[in-house]
Amino acid sequence: MKILIKNGRVVDPTQKLDAVTDILIENGKIKKLGQGLTLADCETFDAAGLVVTPGLIDVHTHMREPGLEAKEDIISGTKAAAAGGVTTVACMPNTKPVIDTSIVISGIKQRAAADGYAHVEVIGAISKGERGEELAEMGDMAQKGVMAFSDDGHYVKSSRLFTLAAKYVTTFDKPLICHAIDPELGAEGYMHEGAVSARIGVPGVPSVAEDIAVARDCLIAEYTGAHVHIAHVASKGAIEIVRQAKKRGVNITSEVTVHHLTLTDEACIKYNPAARVSPPLRSKEHVEALRAAVLDGTVDAIVTDHAPHAPEEKDVEFRYAPCGFCGLETSLAVILTDLYYTKIFDLNTIISKMSCEPAKLFKINGGTLKEGSIADITIMDLNKEWTVDSSKFYTRGKATPYEGKVCKGKAVATLLAGEFVMRDGVLCTK
């Protein structure tokens, strides 16, 4: 199959490319880039006025399969990804059963290959059942192509176990992804501890709970030499610890979520259960520190932490709502609206952190439009205005703190290995 994308503004930070040019796709790969390309026997997509980029890569999502399909499954989750311009997702292991054996990984990969609308990378558990007591079958999972290891949703409290895991993963060159919040310091909180939590009478999670956990994990990375990736950093103290570790040459990387870059704890004032997340939405000073860290390279990836729940689970009082909300279908639009159009981030930064750098960091096939590379492509309309309406989401989880938000910018087409999976804002029939 041949597709010719014509007249689009192609933005690819891996080639330092930002220019109007054409892209010829053949047999699922980028065949040629250049101006004025023509080919008689191919499908042509006119991208005039649109931006064409490497497919977005989200290295922190929850597909919920196996066992929690009432919240999400591979099909609904990857549909949401394609609708949001995301071509690759990495799914966290806190499923039921936990992804802690190679057989579960094989099942997810087969399911995604057969029915998915996006590529699915799998993250295996560090410990059996994510209980933090005994190492999972990390070697077997590595052989099955696991992307990384994490006990996401849980902090590995045992420094001994985490050190053993860090030493072990260096054997097969896989990162550890850390959910770094001290569970004892954060156990009694439901949102960020600060002026807002005091005003509305909700116990808070102090930022030091995050700082302490990140500091330990950085020290273990320094001791073992393992690649340790800090998930969803939300506090200014934690990001400074990461920054200083990087300066010392520690093999530390980090990510930040779209919501931690664009929302503060003010979103919790009306006790909106959709705004309950872990780590919690923090105050303005923390948000500003995270934005600065994206710009100076301390943050390597921008993610969603897409964490859908069944509607009835989130439709409860704030304190009783599970942490997390859906993000795949809003992430690009929110970033463009709140950070691109406010001139805080430029387009190169956004594409680098949402595609190119995650691909390089986790050795994912994608994140570039170089000739010969896989034709995973996101096409976006920077001028498209629309309003977030969760009733139109493809994800099964409908909770979002962005409900009713007027956005400017949207993915309008998504190609997966050279085939359209979303076009003109509508998913294609597989």
Side-chain angles (χ1 to χ4, degrees), residues 74-75 78 105-122 416 430:
I74 295 296
I75 296 176
T78 56
I105 290 168
S106 297
I108 293 171
K109 282 185 170 288
Q110 289 172 11
R111 166 92 156 135
D115 301 316
Y117 284 72
H119 304 297
V120 177
E121 297 286 342
V122 184
L416 192 69
K430 292 197 69 176

Short mmCIF file of all heavy atoms in Angstrom, two decimals, residues 74-75 78 105-122 416 430:
data_model
loop_
_atom_site.label_atom_id
_atom_site.label_comp_id
_atom_site.label_asym_id
_atom_site.label_seq_id
_atom_site.Cartn_x
_atom_site.Cartn_y
_atom_site.Cartn_z
N ILE A 74 -7.97 -3.47 25.85
CA ILE A 74 -7.01 -3.13 24.80
C ILE A 74 -7.69 -2.42 23.63
O ILE A 74 -7.16 -1.45 23.08
CB ILE A 74 -6.29 -4.40 24.29
CG1 ILE A 74 -5.43 -5.03 25.41
CG2 ILE A 74 -5.43 -4.08 23.08
CD1 ILE A 74 -4.29 -4.18 25.89
N ILE A 75 -8.87 -2.89 23.26
CA ILE A 75 -9.55 -2.29 22.11
C ILE A 75 -10.00 -0.86 22.42
O ILE A 75 -9.68 0.09 21.69
CB ILE A 75 -10.75 -3.14 21.67
CG1 ILE A 75 -10.27 -4.51 21.18
CG2 ILE A 75 -11.53 -2.43 20.56
CD1 ILE A 75 -11.39 -5.46 20.82
N THR A 78 -6.88 1.47 23.00
CA THR A 78 -6.12 1.85 21.80
C THR A 78 -6.97 2.68 20.84
O THR A 78 -6.43 3.48 20.08
CB THR A 78 -5.53 0.62 21.09
OG1 THR A 78 -6.57 -0.30 20.77
CG2 THR A 78 -4.48 -0.06 21.95
N ILE A 105 2.22 -11.34 29.43
CA ILE A 105 2.77 -10.43 28.43
C ILE A 105 2.47 -10.92 27.03
O ILE A 105 2.03 -10.16 26.17
CB ILE A 105 4.28 -10.24 28.64
CG1 ILE A 105 4.53 -9.46 29.92
CG2 ILE A 105 4.92 -9.52 27.46
CD1 ILE A 105 5.95 -9.46 30.38
N SER A 106 2.66 -12.21 26.80
CA SER A 106 2.38 -12.79 25.48
C SER A 106 0.92 -12.58 25.10
O SER A 106 0.60 -12.23 23.95
CB SER A 106 2.71 -14.28 25.47
OG SER A 106 4.08 -14.49 25.69
N GLY A 107 0.04 -12.79 26.05
CA GLY A 107 -1.39 -12.63 25.79
C GLY A 107 -1.75 -11.20 25.41
O GLY A 107 -2.53 -10.97 24.48
N ILE A 108 -1.20 -10.23 26.12
CA ILE A 108 -1.48 -8.83 25.83
C ILE A 108 -0.95 -8.45 24.45
O ILE A 108 -1.63 -7.79 23.66
CB ILE A 108 -0.87 -7.92 26.91
CG1 ILE A 108 -1.58 -8.13 28.25
CG2 ILE A 108 -0.95 -6.45 26.50
CD1 ILE A 108 -0.91 -7.45 29.42
N LYS A 109 0.26 -8.88 24.14
CA LYS A 109 0.86 -8.54 22.85
C LYS A 109 0.06 -9.16 21.69
O LYS A 109 -0.14 -8.51 20.65
CB LYS A 109 2.32 -9.02 22.82
CG LYS A 109 3.27 -8.09 23.59
CD LYS A 109 4.70 -8.53 23.44
CE LYS A 109 5.67 -7.51 23.99
NZ LYS A 109 5.78 -6.29 23.16
N GLN A 110 -0.39 -10.39 21.85
CA GLN A 110 -1.18 -11.03 20.80
C GLN A 110 -2.52 -10.32 20.62
O GLN A 110 -2.98 -10.10 19.49
CB GLN A 110 -1.40 -12.50 21.14
CG GLN A 110 -0.14 -13.35 21.01
CD GLN A 110 -0.32 -14.76 21.54
OE1 GLN A 110 -1.43 -15.19 21.83
NE2 GLN A 110 0.79 -15.48 21.69
N ARG A 111 -3.13 -9.97 21.71
CA ARG A 111 -4.42 -9.27 21.66
C ARG A 111 -4.27 -7.91 20.98
O ARG A 111 -5.08 -7.53 20.13
CB ARG A 111 -4.94 -9.10 23.08
CG ARG A 111 -6.09 -8.13 23.26
CD ARG A 111 -7.39 -8.85 23.17
NE ARG A 111 -8.42 -8.10 23.88
CZ ARG A 111 -9.63 -7.90 23.39
NH1 ARG A 111 -9.95 -8.37 22.22
NH2 ARG A 111 -10.52 -7.23 24.09
N ALA A 112 -3.23 -7.19 21.34
CA ALA A 112 -3.01 -5.86 20.76
C ALA A 112 -2.69 -5.95 19.27
O ALA A 112 -3.18 -5.15 18.47
CB ALA A 112 -1.87 -5.16 21.51
N ALA A 113 -1.87 -6.94 18.89
CA ALA A 113 -1.52 -7.10 17.48
C ALA A 113 -2.73 -7.45 16.63
O ALA A 113 -2.85 -7.01 15.48
CB ALA A 113 -0.45 -8.18 17.34
N ALA A 114 -3.65 -8.21 17.19
CA ALA A 114 -4.81 -8.64 16.43
C ALA A 114 -5.90 -7.58 16.35
O ALA A 114 -6.53 -7.40 15.29
CB ALA A 114 -5.39 -9.92 17.05
N ASP A 115 -6.13 -6.86 17.46
CA ASP A 115 -7.32 -6.01 17.53
C ASP A 115 -7.03 -4.54 17.87
O ASP A 115 -7.95 -3.72 17.87
CB ASP A 115 -8.28 -6.56 18.60
CG ASP A 115 -8.72 -7.99 18.31
OD1 ASP A 115 -9.05 -8.26 17.14
OD2 ASP A 115 -8.73 -8.82 19.23
N GLY A 116 -5.79 -4.20 18.17
CA GLY A 116 -5.49 -2.86 18.65
C GLY A 116 -5.46 -1.81 17.56
O GLY A 116 -5.21 -2.10 16.38
N TYR A 117 -5.68 -0.57 17.96
CA TYR A 117 -5.61 0.59 17.08
C TYR A 117 -4.32 1.38 17.32
O TYR A 117 -4.15 2.46 16.77
CB TYR A 117 -6.82 1.49 17.30
CG TYR A 117 -8.09 0.98 16.67
CD1 TYR A 117 -8.77 -0.13 17.20
CD2 TYR A 117 -8.62 1.59 15.54
CE1 TYR A 117 -9.94 -0.61 16.62
CE2 TYR A 117 -9.79 1.13 14.95
CZ TYR A 117 -10.44 0.03 15.49
OH TYR A 117 -11.59 -0.44 14.90
N ALA A 118 -3.45 0.84 18.16
CA ALA A 118 -2.14 1.44 18.42
C ALA A 118 -1.19 0.32 18.81
O ALA A 118 -1.63 -0.78 19.21
CB ALA A 118 -2.23 2.47 19.55
N HIS A 119 0.10 0.56 18.68
CA HIS A 119 1.07 -0.39 19.19
C HIS A 119 1.01 -0.39 20.72
O HIS A 119 0.84 0.66 21.33
CB HIS A 119 2.49 -0.01 18.77
CG HIS A 119 2.67 0.14 17.28
ND1 HIS A 119 2.52 -0.91 16.39
CD2 HIS A 119 3.01 1.21 16.53
CE1 HIS A 119 2.75 -0.48 15.17
NE2 HIS A 119 3.05 0.80 15.21
N VAL A 120 1.15 -1.57 21.31
CA VAL A 120 1.10 -1.67 22.78
C VAL A 120 2.40 -2.27 23.29
O VAL A 120 2.73 -3.42 22.99
CB VAL A 120 -0.10 -2.52 23.24
CG1 VAL A 120 -0.09 -2.67 24.76
CG2 VAL A 120 -1.42 -1.89 22.79
N GLU A 121 3.14 -1.47 24.04
CA GLU A 121 4.30 -1.96 24.77
C GLU A 121 3.84 -2.36 26.17
O GLU A 121 2.93 -1.75 26.73
CB GLU A 121 5.38 -0.87 24.86
CG GLU A 121 5.95 -0.44 23.53
CD GLU A 121 6.89 -1.47 22.93
OE1 GLU A 121 7.36 -2.36 23.67
OE2 GLU A 121 7.16 -1.38 21.71
N VAL A 122 4.48 -3.38 26.72
CA VAL A 122 4.05 -3.90 28.03
C VAL A 122 5.13 -3.64 29.08
O VAL A 122 6.32 -3.85 28.83
CB VAL A 122 3.75 -5.41 27.95
CG1 VAL A 122 3.21 -5.92 29.28
CG2 VAL A 122 2.75 -5.69 26.83
N LEU A 416 -0.90 4.23 11.48
CA LEU A 416 -0.19 3.18 12.20
C LEU A 416 0.44 2.25 11.18
O LEU A 416 -0.26 1.60 10.41
CB LEU A 416 -1.15 2.42 13.11
CG LEU A 416 -0.54 1.48 14.14
CD1 LEU A 416 0.19 2.27 15.22
CD2 LEU A 416 -1.62 0.60 14.78
N LYS A 430 -11.48 -1.46 11.00
CA LYS A 430 -10.36 -2.38 10.81
C LYS A 430 -10.82 -3.64 10.07
O LYS A 430 -11.94 -4.08 10.19
CB LYS A 430 -9.75 -2.76 12.15
CG LYS A 430 -9.06 -1.59 12.85
CD LYS A 430 -8.13 -2.07 13.93
CE LYS A 430 -6.93 -2.79 13.36
NZ LYS A 430 -5.95 -3.19 14.38
#
